[in-house]
Amino acid sequence: MSGLFGLGQSLLLALPPERAHDLAIKSLELGLYPRATEPDDKRLAQRLFGLDFPNPIGMAAGFDKNARVPRELLAMGFGFVEVGTLTPRGQSGNPTPRMFRSMTDRAIINRLGFNNDGQAAALARLQRGAVGIVGINIGAGRDSKDRVADYVSGIERMAEVASYFTINVSSPNTPGLRDLQAPEALDELLTWVQKARAALPGKPAKLLVKLAPDIAEEDLAEVVRVILRHSADGVVVSNTTLSRNGLHDRGFAKEAGGLSGRPLFARATRMLAQVYTFAAGKLPLIGVGGIDSGETALAKIEAGASLVQLYTGLVFEGPSLIGRIKQALVEATDREGCDNLAPLVGRRAEEWSKRALPA
């Protein structure tokens, strides 16, 4: 049964974006969603971060903010799910309306502001278990007096249920949060976060850092060096952008917040390739931003991503996008005569890193 995710796609697109999102989550909770019925092609499988990914397609953070439906998303055919962003305490986020959709630009602007129920509520849900890989995206509270301490407490509190952690220092909707991406601030943050991980019992979950696509090119190389110096395990590229370049819907473009969807693709993919190049291929990357077809997913991989994540593309394309991406990636391995995706990762990174951005 496809429920609101199949025949109801046009209904969801007719509703205000945040209302549509709430209905999509409820549809999943009620079991009204399409299941993946075929096993993934073995050529899509990878071992990264000490984890076995059945396929490289993940649900990006921001969709399941409160860890309500990770099992259901995995059952739809995602290879992994990232929940959150989770803050130490619940918070309501910014005033509504705070999500805006443009059918013309196939894009969304949001200024949600880390609205979530808090880590304790998500922890209780995730302790019920999930069959598959579930990453935990953690952030700082809006009114926090010690943001570094917020990330440390998130690592400590959520460790038992995290397949991996993503440190979100790149949302544009929490004032001052992106300041933590500055090399000196990021150095301090990762120092304390890694100390917290090292103190955990057993083998701690891997640590990824999520970056904004608006980092100045002259600063990006140093940011990558900081991430490497602190032995982070990967980078998520990228979060939403404050740029409005390439938008045609003028009323939509005037809204404040982070832009996601098709107009983000070129900017995020160029930055992905630059991070891959600066890291000399030493860091596994997750490519996010503007993926709405098999071709765009393949482009992310060729630019340097080992894994990809969807959200906005799924809003406009529906759940069939997952299967279409899998098919496109399998066909790419056929064309190249390879039995896995590894030979495709980063093979066009140099080309993508030098591409001009659309005006």
Side-chain angles (χ1 to χ4, degrees):
M1 179 178 281
S2 61
L4 292 174
F5 280 90
L7 297 176
Q9 190 71 17
S10 59
L11 169 63
L12 289 176
L13 290 173
L15 293 172
E18 193 163 0
R19 176 60 175 156
H21 172 264
D22 292 343
L23 281 175
I25 293 288
K26 179 58 68 175
S27 176
L28 283 158
E29 289 180 322
L30 293 173
L32 303 176
Y33 61 91
R35 277 76 165 171
T37 57
E38 300 293 331
D40 288 323
D41 192 295
K42 293 181 179 180
R43 287 168 286 186
L44 299 178
Q46 299 178 83
R47 184 168 179 79
L48 298 161
F49 317 126
L51 302 169
D52 292 314
F53 291 82
N55 71 69
I57 307 167
M59 174 58 89
F63 179 80
D64 190 8
K65 288 178 173 291
N66 294 305
R68 290 166 59 182
V69 290
R71 303 162 197 78
E72 291 81 357
L73 290 168
L74 291 165
M76 283 179 64
F78 284 104
F80 65 108
V81 173
E82 190 169 309
V83 301
T85 297
L86 296 170
T87 55
R89 294 162 296 282
Q91 54 185 39
S92 59
N94 292 319
T96 59
R98 52 192 182 179
M99 287 186 75
F100 308 88
R101 182 198 304 122
S102 172
M103 295 299 294
T104 300
D105 289 310
R106 310 290 278 188
I108 288 174
I109 291 172
N110 91 80
R111 48 177 182 262
L112 291 163
F114 286 172
N115 56 311
N116 73 108
D117 295 341
Q119 291 164 4
L123 177 62
R125 296 185 182 108
L126 291 169
Q127 284 172 330
R128 302 169 194 160
V131 183
I133 297 170
V134 179
I136 309 293
N137 185 297
I138 57 176
R142 182 182 184 90
D143 299 322
S144 173
K145 293 181 173 57
D146 187 345
R147 288 181 168 173
V148 171
D150 281 6
Y151 288 97
V152 168
S153 68
I155 293 285
E156 294 170 341
R157 177 179 285 168
M158 304 302 295
E160 67 176 277
V161 294
S163 298
Y164 67 87
F165 283 109
T166 296
I167 300 297
N168 186 355
V169 291
S170 51
S171 170
N173 299 316
T174 296
L177 188 78
R178 286 188 170 188
D179 294 344
L180 293 173
Q181 293 178 127
E184 288 186 8
L186 186 60
D187 181 77
E188 180 185 4
L189 173 62
L190 291 179
T191 295
W192 287 103
V193 166
Q194 291 292 47
K195 283 182 179 179
R197 288 180 66 242
L200 293 171
K203 190 174 182 180
K206 301 296 186 180
L207 182 74
L208 283 65
V209 180
K210 188 167 186 174
L211 299 177
D214 305 322
I215 295 174
E217 287 189 42
E218 59 268 25
D219 295 332
L220 185 59
E222 180 59 26
V223 169
V224 174
R225 280 193 288 270
V226 170
I227 291 170
L228 286 167
R229 189 161 63 245
H230 285 279
S231 301
D233 300 290
V235 182
V236 183
V237 187
S238 67
N239 213 315
T240 57
T241 181
L242 293 174
S243 170
R244 298 296 185 260
N245 289 354
L247 293 184
H248 300 92
D249 186 336
R250 294 184 179 180
F252 172 72
K254 292 178 182 177
E255 295 294 345
L259 172 73
S260 62
R262 188 173 291 176
L264 175 58
F265 176 76
R267 177 179 295 272
T269 308
R270 186 180 75 160
M271 181 177 167
L272 170 74
Q274 291 170 338
V275 172
Y276 180 86
T277 301
F278 291 142
K282 295 176 183 177
L283 284 171
L285 308 180
I286 300 180
V288 198
I291 299 173
D292 59 8
S293 65
E295 292 73 23
T296 49
L298 177 59
K300 292 284 188 187
I301 289 172
E302 292 180 328
S306 295
L307 304 168
V308 298
Q309 288 179 332
L310 315 177
Y311 183 176
T312 301
L314 204 68
V315 170
F316 293 101
E317 298 295 324
S320 65
L321 178 61
I322 303 168
R324 299 203 309 270
I325 291 174
K326 291 180 184 180
Q327 183 61 34
L329 297 182
V330 169
E331 290 173 357
T333 63
D334 283 339
R335 288 194 301 271
E336 300 303 320
C338 47
D339 58 9
N340 59 61
L341 294 171
L344 306 180
V345 175
R347 66 175 184 168
R348 294 202 170 109
E350 183 176 359
E351 171 193 337
W352 266 104
S353 68
K354 296 177 180 177
R355 287 198 183 188
L357 292 176

